[in-house]
Amino acid sequence: MKGRSETLRSIADKAFDVCVIGGGATGSGCALDSRLRGLTTVLLDAADFAGATSSTSTKIVHGGVRYLEQAVKDLDAKQYRVVQRALHERIRMLHNAPYLARPMEFIVPCYRRLDAAYFAAGLKIYDWIARGARLFPSRFLSREETLRRIPSLNPDHLVGSVAYADGQFDDARYNLTLIQTFAQAGGEALNYARVIAFERSVDGKLTACQVEDQFTHQRFTVRARAFVNATGPFADTIRQLATPGATPRMRLSKGVHILLPLEVMPGDDAMLIPKTEDGRVLFAVPWKGRLLVGTTEQEVTIHDELYVTKEEIAYLLRHLNRYLAAPVKPDQVVSGIAGARPLVSAGDSRDTKKLSRDHELEVDSQSGLISIMGGKWTTYRAMAEDAVNTVQKHLGIPVTESPTKSHPLIGSEGFTLDYWKKLASDYRIPEPTARYLAGKFGTVAAKVLDLAQEDPALAAPIVPDFPAVRAQVIYSARTEMAMTIEDVLFRRLGLQLYSWHSAIHAAPVVGSLLGRELGWSPDESVSTAREYGAKINRLLMLAGLEQQHDSTGAGDFS
Ligand SMILES: Cc1cc2nc3c(=O)[nH]c(=O)nc-3n(C[C@H](O)[C@H](O)[C@H](O)COP(=O)(O)OP(=O)(O)OC[C@H]3O[C@@H](n4cnc5c(N)ncnc54)[C@H](O)[C@@H]3O)c2cc1C
């Protein structure tokens, strides 16, 4: 991908067929589909790509067993079709980027025979709906087999479990890779570019948007024949910019995850906790050397700050601990994430967990704005297909087949599951680094390591307890439009998720390398690292966890 300044020059005051607003899963999917159908396309995001909901998910590629249960209980054919479509998208998502997404087994522990029969029957229906897109069949596991697979499970009264398959993926990297693939196909993508107003023709149709660069506050115009609003939780803001007074449609549900040392639930399988006090399901999923546990559900607005609270940690651990032989304590939490599910309101449903995960397309008759709202990560491609079909109709051109059903994303070409071995031998790097880089970049990992061959100092790890290497910071800045320390540590490297404390330690190194690329002075690099450290310390404080005292050379974080 081109650098940010160069991209800015190529889009400011230029005209495109399509302007996609929002660089999360939905917008990136729309931009790629639009470009691959031959439309000149620009993608704008107000912050970092994947900077909102799309990097805070449970990272599961799924039809949704809970939504299926709801569909069956309520005899809801629409909900059933949502699950069915998602199950078919699941397999496409796995095939299009095999290094970023993989099948995973989920185990539902059962402490009563009746529960085992209920889940076994329900998950057979899940298999049946997936049919040809099934990953592997669900099955009952004996008590012994269940304890072999999850040794830390509470064995008292355990009768066995039901195992079923879904997928797991790296949400932030999947999002960034969609954008890279879009750029490779000739699209233009710019982050930190907020749409703040629209211009209209005499008949009221949108002709251009005004954009504000979030770093310089300079404004410019982007003209387009069609505008796609893919801003997830912020969809109403853009709808109201296009049509002042438009009725709000979005309901936001905050979801929180915590990360724990993997030792609390060792193994390769995930666990589904089928019922919480408030009728939800919880997941405990192995994630890049940690255990990801979530999620909660609480209605919020776009004005609420999203962070993990002490109470949410207590809620998640209370439920997890009912299933574990040795209880986990709050001080074992190493990091957390909070995000807002963009749900489309349906009548007066008071409970967000009952709102459908289906998506909705709206074409505003006055302005022509095309809004794609709701949905979930797993269905991003189908949402994009629907949105771009509508764009083509809006432009008065024939609706063509979506090319994204089977379009390998960058890094998938030539990728095999043992590709990491080639990296390890070609570049003489340790196995954990090779596995980590192959899982983040696929075959593009070679380009990252080429940087380290040119400058051997870049082969060094950023912090001792995490496999990321310094070359990734340079690569993030040059090729992936990383502009801040958080862009690098959270979404591009995943270190902020691995450990808040390690992320604080990494900040000065990342600040210095990123600063070199972006032209910061040494003082700026230090103060930026310090600000980042203070931000993470605040997250630790809000979560009721011990803060990091300065031991990094970056100064006082408080
Ligand atoms: C806790 C949680 C767990 C989840 N788990 C799963 C899961 O396991 N599997 C699954 O399939 N789905 C899951 N989901 C749902 C999924 O994450 C979301 O449906 C999806 O990420 C939404 O993507 P989006 O692109 O629509 O929105 P976002 O990712 O929020 O992107 C919207 C973008 O629009 C940009 N924007 C806003 N205003 C402007 C503007 N004025 N100008 C330019 N850009 C703007 C924002 O900066 C943002 O980047 C989960 C959601 C949550 C909250």
Side-chain angles (χ1 to χ4, degrees):
M1 192 153 79
K2 284 189 296 198
R4 191 167 178 278
S5 317
E6 198 187 335
T7 305
L8 220 156
R9 281 195 296 278
S10 37
I11 67 171
D13 306 317
K14 301 281 178 352
F16 295 84
D17 292 327
V18 185
C19 172
V20 178
I21 310 169
T26 311
S28 311
C30 288
L32 177 63
D33 194 317
S34 167
R35 181 65 208 124
L36 291 177
R37 289 198 220 185
L39 299 166
T40 56
T41 307
V42 60
L43 172 75
L44 303 168
D45 197 287
D48 189 21
F49 305 125
T53 314
S54 297
S55 53
T56 63
S57 80
T58 315
K59 307 167 202 326
I60 300 176
V61 195
H62 63 157
V65 284
R66 179 161 69 84
Y67 313 133
L68 174 65
E69 192 182 21
Q70 246 174 43
V72 173
K73 277 188 181 157
D74 302 347
L75 292 175
D76 183 344
K78 191 170 171 233
Q79 185 79 320
Y80 167 86
R81 280 194 297 275
V82 173
V83 176
Q84 188 179 42
R85 196 169 187 195
L87 281 171
H88 285 85
E89 286 303 318
R90 178 179 74 172
I91 202 96
R92 293 183 174 135
M93 206 165 153
L94 263 58
H95 282 165
N96 283 340
Y99 66 98
L100 291 169
R102 63 184 182 121
M104 177 170 249
E105 247 186 329
F106 289 72
I107 291 180
V108 191
C110 302
Y111 289 87
R112 295 187 318 169
R113 293 203 180 278
L114 201 64
D115 287 346
Y118 179 78
F119 296 127
L123 289 161
K124 279 292 164 214
I125 302 178
Y126 198 61
D127 289 348
W128 178 77
I129 300 174
R131 282 183 214 145
R134 199 174 71 179
L135 296 172
F136 25 85
S138 62
R139 62 199 195 286
F140 179 76
L141 303 182
S142 67
R143 177 188 148 85
E144 292 66 39
E145 177 66 1
T146 305
L147 288 170
R148 194 185 63 73
R149 301 276 290 266
I150 310 185
S152 56
L153 210 56
N154 180 358
D156 297 346
H157 309 296
L158 183 76
V159 294
S161 63
V162 183
Y164 73 98
D166 256 328
Q168 184 190 45
F169 75 118
D170 187 331
D171 53 2
R173 293 261 8 141
Y174 209 107
N175 196 149
L176 292 163
T177 307
L178 281 169
I179 290 179
Q180 295 279 343
T181 311
F182 163 64
Q184 189 191 44
E188 300 279 7
L190 189 70
N191 59 4
Y192 295 99
R194 180 181 294 277
V195 171
I196 52 166
F198 286 108
E199 293 173 14
R200 296 170 177 73
S201 60
V202 276
D203 62 355
K205 299 287 180 237
L206 305 182
T207 54
C209 62
Q210 276 176 34
V211 187
E212 187 181 78
D213 181 335
Q214 298 300 286
F215 293 109
T216 61
H217 300 293
Q218 279 178 349
R219 294 180 179 184
F220 58 92
T221 299
V222 170
R223 276 172 287 137
R225 294 162 63 212
F227 288 85
V228 177
N229 170 16
T231 52
F234 312 93
D236 285 337
T237 313
I238 297 293
R239 289 173 66 245
Q240 288 168 346
L241 275 186
T243 306
T247 313
R249 299 290 318 277
M250 302 310 295
R251 297 269 304 272
L252 309 184
S253 159
K254 178 186 173 190
V256 158
H257 294 93
I258 52 173
L259 287 105
L260 297 166
L262 193 53
E263 298 79 72
V264 308
M265 198 184 102
D268 296 328
D269 303 306
M271 174 168 73
L272 180 146
I273 297 177
K275 198 157 189 173
T276 60
E277 294 149 359
D278 48 352
R280 303 187 34 69
V281 300
L282 284 193
F283 291 97
V285 191
W287 170 251
K288 313 263 179 204
R290 296 300 198 199
L291 186 72
L292 178 78
V293 181
T295 169
T296 57
E297 193 145 335
Q298 183 205 342
E299 186 148 14
V300 289
T301 72
I302 46 169
H303 307 294
D304 290 311
E305 196 190 348
L306 296 174
Y307 55 84
V308 181
T309 67
K310 224 160 121 171
E311 293 71 29
E312 286 159 336
I313 292 180
Y315 170 94
L316 291 173
L317 291 185
R318 187 163 68 245
H319 288 94
L320 178 69
N321 284 340
R322 284 179 195 155
Y323 285 80
L324 296 183
V328 180
K329 298 192 185 72
D331 63 9
Q332 287 176 270
V333 172
V334 291
S335 79
I337 31 167
R341 287 183 191 82
L343 305 173
V344 189
S345 67
D348 58 357
S349 178
R350 267 191 252 148
D351 194 351
T352 51
K353 73 174 180 286
K354 291 225 165 106
L355 287 181
S356 167
R357 266 52 175 170
D358 199 3
H359 61 269
E360 214 175 295
L361 244 167
E362 176 191 82
V363 184
D364 182 51
S365 56
Q366 273 180 39
S367 67
L369 178 73
I370 297 163
S371 294
I372 174 83
M373 299 174 285
K376 54 186 190 172
W377 234 120
T378 310
T379 51
Y380 85 92
R381 197 213 61 80
M383 293 167 72
E385 177 175 348
D386 291 353
V388 180
N389 288 347
T390 306
V391 166
Q392 289 184 316
K393 282 183 206 147
H394 176 82
L395 296 178
I397 57 176
V399 175
T400 51
E401 181 78 14
S402 167
T404 55
K405 287 192 183 87
S406 159
H407 185 85
L409 303 189
I410 277 193
S412 305
E413 315 81 10
F415 179 80
T416 54
L417 289 178
D418 61 358
Y419 175 72
W420 65 270
K421 289 185 184 158
K422 180 168 163 49
L423 283 181
S425 78
D426 287 359
Y427 292 92
R428 293 165 197 235
I429 52 172
E431 179 179 331
T433 308
R435 283 183 182 274
Y436 163 81
L437 289 174
K440 291 277 172 199
F441 296 93
T443 49
V444 171
K447 290 195 179 153
V448 179
L449 289 166
D450 286 344
L451 292 172
Q453 286 211 321
E454 284 160 26
D455 176 359
L458 296 177
I462 296 170
V463 282
D465 59 342
F466 192 74
V469 291
R470 293 172 189 224
Q472 283 175 261
V473 183
I474 306 296
Y475 189 83
S476 299
R478 286 188 195 164
T479 319
E480 300 183 331
M481 234 179 248
M483 299 298 293
T484 71
I485 294 179
E486 182 173 309
D487 294 351
V488 174
L489 285 178
F490 180 13
R491 289 168 286 276
R492 285 160 186 75
L493 270 57
L495 176 54
Q496 187 178 311
L497 267 190
Y498 185 77
S499 159
W500 277 334
H501 284 277
S502 300
I504 291 177
H505 279 295
V509 175
V510 174
S512 147
L513 291 168
L514 190 62
R516 223 168 66 188
E517 287 299 306
L518 300 181
W520 301 344
S521 69
D523 282 355
E524 264 178 293
S525 293
V526 171
S527 64
T528 309
R530 205 176 279 151
E531 275 163 32
Y532 175 82
K535 183 171 175 181
I536 302 296
N537 250 344
R538 183 163 174 271
L539 294 179
L540 283 159
M541 187 262 294
L542 292 166
L545 302 172
E546 196 188 332
Q547 294 177 55
Q548 177 82 51
H549 300 295
D550 179 25
S551 57
T552 63
D556 184 11
F557 290 130
S558 55

